[in-house]
Amino acid sequence: MSRTGRRILAVLSVAALVGVAGTASASAATPTPKSPVAKGYLGAVSSIDVDATAIGTEVLRRGGNAVDAAVAVAAALGVTDPFSAGVGGGGFFVYYDAKTGKVHTLDGRETAPKAADANLFVEDGKPLPFADAVTSGLSVGVPGTPATWQEALRKWGTRSLGQSVAPAEALARKGFVVDQTFHDQVGENAERFAAFPSTRSLYLPGGQPPAPGTVFRNPDLAGTYAELAERGTDALYRGDIGADIAKTVQQPPVDPASTLKVRPGRLSDADLAAYRAIERDPTHTQYRGLDVYGMPAPSSGGLTVGEALNILQNYDLAHASQADYLQYFLEASRYAFADRNRWIGDPATVDVPAKELLSRKFADSRACLISKDHAAASPVAPADPRHPQPCAAGTVGAPTPYEGQHTTHLTAADKWGNVVAYTLTIEQEGGSGMVVPGRGFLLNNELTDFSFTPVTPGVPDPNLPGPGKRPRSSMAPTIVLRDGKPFFAEGSPGGATIITTVLQVLLGRIDRGLSLEDAIAAPRVSQRNAATSDVEQAFLDQPAAADLQARGQSYSSSPAEIGASTGVERLRDGRWLAAAEPVRRGQGAAQVVLPWTWPGEN
């Protein structure tokens, strides 16, 4: 930063400190406005929810760092976005440490019970219907989110777990105003929520979803947060909360009058006690002179995004036409997904060729299969990254199995330059559908991310269930460095579409000259080695969409919303930019500690 910029920042820092009490008082009396873009100093937070973002921003304002803020935001999302995240789920945490210049990751993915085997979702010799597996005890993995919070705070935070969850506890007790998205999410799950008295009483009061504009309170969840604050994560992994989780899984609290068949699971107290959040080395890809860091296996996010970026190094995307750029993006995604499906699983049980998947030699062997003028026919076959053969197409295709799409992502940065990108989930919208009685949170259905049976008969599948195994994920929290310093961070929910959304935002910001907020807002398309690409209506409305169809690209017949990204960026003048969705999922919420825009700046 220039000397003038440093002087301005010093003045603004003093002004912010002087005005802290007034700001807090005003925000308490006046509803916080929701905006998808904010610029300013002293730190930034972006999430899908205005209450959660405001809580994170207040943590930064009171001297907390990005890790403290991220945990506080995540806990608040467990209150306001409970159908996507919460105590009963898991996720992946990526952190840039400004003191050391290093990127760290925490794997908070759920684990299967020790009693699980490869036939977890096989009944009478056939795989269970997906919906039957979702709403069951079989689908519930050991939650990893509380352990992630505790470990992140222990390693890099400045506040205790109790301090970090206290604002969310207060929010759950006081309540928040229901919006249309919250109402609709309950409505879409009403039939299965009604099957569980604990879920029905919380989310279907009087038999109907909470109405928009009403205040929703969750005193049981407030009590859970209070117990975590007092006893730490032992309350869950070795205490009463965990005992209640195990009982819920083993004896699903289904209404005897319900016609829904809910299969029990075998998650035990011992499974909970054995759980650990694991620090892993991040994935690292150099792209256009930048360093792109992501989440390693068991997430496929960092490896698949990295392979696609390496393939795309072969093309001048900055000067390509919009249709040519999108053709390369779609085809790189197609081949990267084929390799993902064949090779990536839990590294504790599968030999994942991570280094080889991210090699330029392997990427080049895939790039030479791509035509600018013709789409490949999916499912394309994977290649062997350990023995790359130029233009060797392979013989047996590797289709992509379904993943639930209702995850959430948050990003945070502080005045010291630390950055967090954190994606967390309970898997399907509403998870397993089971609220732990008396605890106020939904349990995940994360184990349905396993392949129920081998995706390709006769070909080893790295993602079959197993004892204590972590299912493969597509979560892709990403941090990009420029000259060793933060450039931007981003991520998204969306199941397997997370990978293509994160990749598309990266390309929009780095190659296509878009601002971060415009890269997030851009129309999306997602190709995952399928016969058709998922697509948004706004994408179809572009002239390039028809051009791509002429090249053989096919689109799903029902356009849908893809992802709900958030990001932060360090601007060259030292300010932070926070960006979220302007439309998707009812609009995201971005805030900075000290807003500042220059005269004439948007």
Side-chain angles (χ1 to χ4, degrees):
M1 190 190 306
S2 67
R3 180 178 299 176
T4 300
R6 289 194 296 270
R7 287 176 177 170
I8 292 173
L9 182 55
V11 172
L12 294 174
S13 299
V14 172
L17 291 172
V18 170
V20 162
T23 301
S25 175
S27 65
T30 306
T32 306
K34 191 173 187 178
S35 172
V37 181
K39 296 177 183 178
Y41 293 101
L42 304 180
V45 176
S46 183
S47 82
I48 197 63
D49 178 73
V50 65
D51 292 304
T53 293
I55 282 173
T57 307
E58 186 65 15
V59 169
L60 296 176
R61 183 177 288 115
R62 294 178 178 274
N65 69 9
V67 174
D68 304 322
V71 173
V73 172
L77 289 171
V79 180
T80 60
D81 192 17
F83 315 115
S84 298
V87 171
F92 295 101
F93 191 102
V94 180
Y95 167 63
Y96 169 80
D97 188 329
K99 285 185 178 180
T100 64
K102 293 183 178 180
V103 176
H104 304 267
T105 78
L106 278 178
D107 169 5
R109 185 63 158 161
E110 298 89 339
T111 56
K114 291 293 184 183
D117 60 23
N119 293 315
L120 178 65
F121 295 113
V122 175
E123 196 170 274
D124 298 327
K126 296 180 180 180
L128 284 176
F130 188 77
D132 289 4
V134 167
T135 308
S136 75
L138 294 173
S139 70
V140 181
V142 178
T145 290
T148 302
W149 296 349
Q150 181 71 79
E151 192 69 358
L153 291 168
R154 184 184 72 82
K155 288 177 177 290
W156 311 301
T158 68
R159 296 186 167 202
S160 68
L161 179 63
Q163 290 173 307
S164 298
V165 302
E169 179 192 340
L171 181 62
R173 291 191 192 281
K174 179 183 70 174
F176 63 93
V177 178
V178 172
D179 63 10
Q180 190 65 46
T181 299
F182 189 97
H183 169 85
D184 291 348
Q185 288 175 319
V186 175
E188 289 159 3
N189 285 279
E191 184 176 354
R192 68 190 189 112
F193 280 7
F196 303 100
S198 55
T199 310
R200 184 174 64 220
S201 63
L202 180 60
Y203 292 120
L204 291 165
Q208 297 296 322
T214 61
V215 175
F216 181 85
R217 297 179 178 87
N218 191 340
D220 285 347
L221 180 58
T224 295
Y225 281 145
E227 194 164 340
L228 287 171
E230 181 180 354
R231 296 187 53 208
T233 56
D234 276 356
L236 189 146
Y237 294 106
R238 296 170 183 82
D240 293 342
I241 299 173
D244 289 343
I245 290 173
K247 181 179 179 181
T248 302
V249 171
Q250 295 170 21
Q251 303 171 40
V254 64
D255 188 333
S258 173
T259 59
L260 194 65
K261 182 178 180 180
V262 183
R263 294 163 176 82
R266 288 182 282 179
L267 187 150
S268 69
D269 293 345
D271 293 318
L272 287 154
Y275 186 84
R276 300 291 185 274
I278 302 171
E279 183 173 1
R280 301 186 187 274
D281 292 334
T283 62
H284 177 214
T285 307
Q286 291 186 316
Y287 185 72
R288 316 292 193 205
L290 303 169
D291 293 288
V292 181
Y293 290 92
M295 197 68 215
S299 178
S300 63
L303 291 170
T304 311
V305 168
E307 180 184 340
L309 288 174
N310 281 332
I311 291 171
L312 291 167
Q313 299 263 20
N314 290 278
Y315 312 106
D316 181 4
L317 301 185
H319 300 99
S321 69
Q322 181 72 356
D324 287 351
Y325 149 64
L326 290 167
Q327 172 75 1
Y328 289 130
F329 160 65
L330 290 169
E331 294 303 289
S333 299
R334 190 188 307 272
Y335 284 98
F337 260 92
D339 299 324
R340 163 203 186 265
N341 299 341
R342 171 63 184 87
W343 299 108
I344 301 176
D346 184 348
T349 61
V350 175
D351 184 11
V352 180
K355 181 179 178 181
E356 293 85 354
L357 282 167
L358 291 180
S359 74
R360 286 296 302 274
K361 184 177 181 180
F362 180 61
D364 292 346
S365 76
R366 304 301 268 159
C368 68
L369 295 168
I370 293 175
S371 167
K372 184 182 73 172
D373 302 315
H374 301 287
S378 281
V380 299
D384 185 348
R386 294 186 177 91
H387 305 285
Q389 302 296 319
C391 301
T395 56
V396 181
T400 301
Y402 176 76
E403 282 183 33
Q405 298 193 12
H406 295 278
T407 306
T408 195
H409 179 80
L410 65 94
T411 42
D414 61 35
K415 62 185 178 183
W416 298 283
N418 303 302
V419 178
V420 171
Y422 183 18
T423 312
L424 60 162
T425 185
I426 60 171
E427 178 57 7
Q428 203 77 2
E429 182 180 83
S432 65
M434 298 187 294
V435 167
V436 179
R439 298 299 182 178
F441 62 87
L442 285 154
L443 288 174
N444 69 83
N445 66 291
E446 212 65 61
L447 302 188
T448 58
D449 269 357
F450 284 123
S451 303
F452 288 15
T453 56
V455 172
T456 305
V459 176
D461 190 321
N463 192 41
L464 292 172
K469 190 173 179 181
R470 299 178 186 227
R472 182 173 60 207
S473 169
S474 294
M475 287 182 272
T478 301
I479 294 178
V480 182
L481 305 184
R482 178 169 53 196
D483 300 324
K485 302 293 183 182
F487 178 15
F488 68 98
E490 58 126 340
S492 177
T497 70
I498 292 172
I499 290 168
T500 55
T501 294
V502 167
L503 179 60
Q504 196 171 353
V505 172
L506 286 169
L507 299 177
R509 181 68 191 94
I510 297 169
D511 285 312
R512 301 301 288 175
L514 301 178
S515 64
L516 181 59
E517 59 266 39
D518 287 344
I520 287 172
R524 293 194 187 125
V525 60
S526 179
Q527 168 51 239
R528 305 185 302 283
N529 199 21
T532 61
S533 297
D534 287 340
V535 67
E536 294 181 330
Q537 184 60 50
F539 181 89
L540 294 176
D541 294 339
Q542 298 179 112
D547 187 325
L548 291 166
Q549 278 187 305
R551 306 181 196 204
Q553 300 289 352
S554 298
Y555 308 125
S556 56
S557 58
S558 301
E561 185 178 270
I562 299 175
S565 295
T566 73
V568 296
E569 179 175 333
R570 190 66 179 251
L571 302 177
R572 290 190 180 274
D573 62 10
R575 291 179 299 165
W576 287 107
L577 162 71
E581 295 287 356
V583 176
R584 297 180 184 96
R585 284 196 49 185
Q587 189 181 82
Q591 288 186 20
V592 291
V593 175
L594 184 63
W596 185 273
T597 55
W598 300 109
E601 183 180 37
N602 292 328

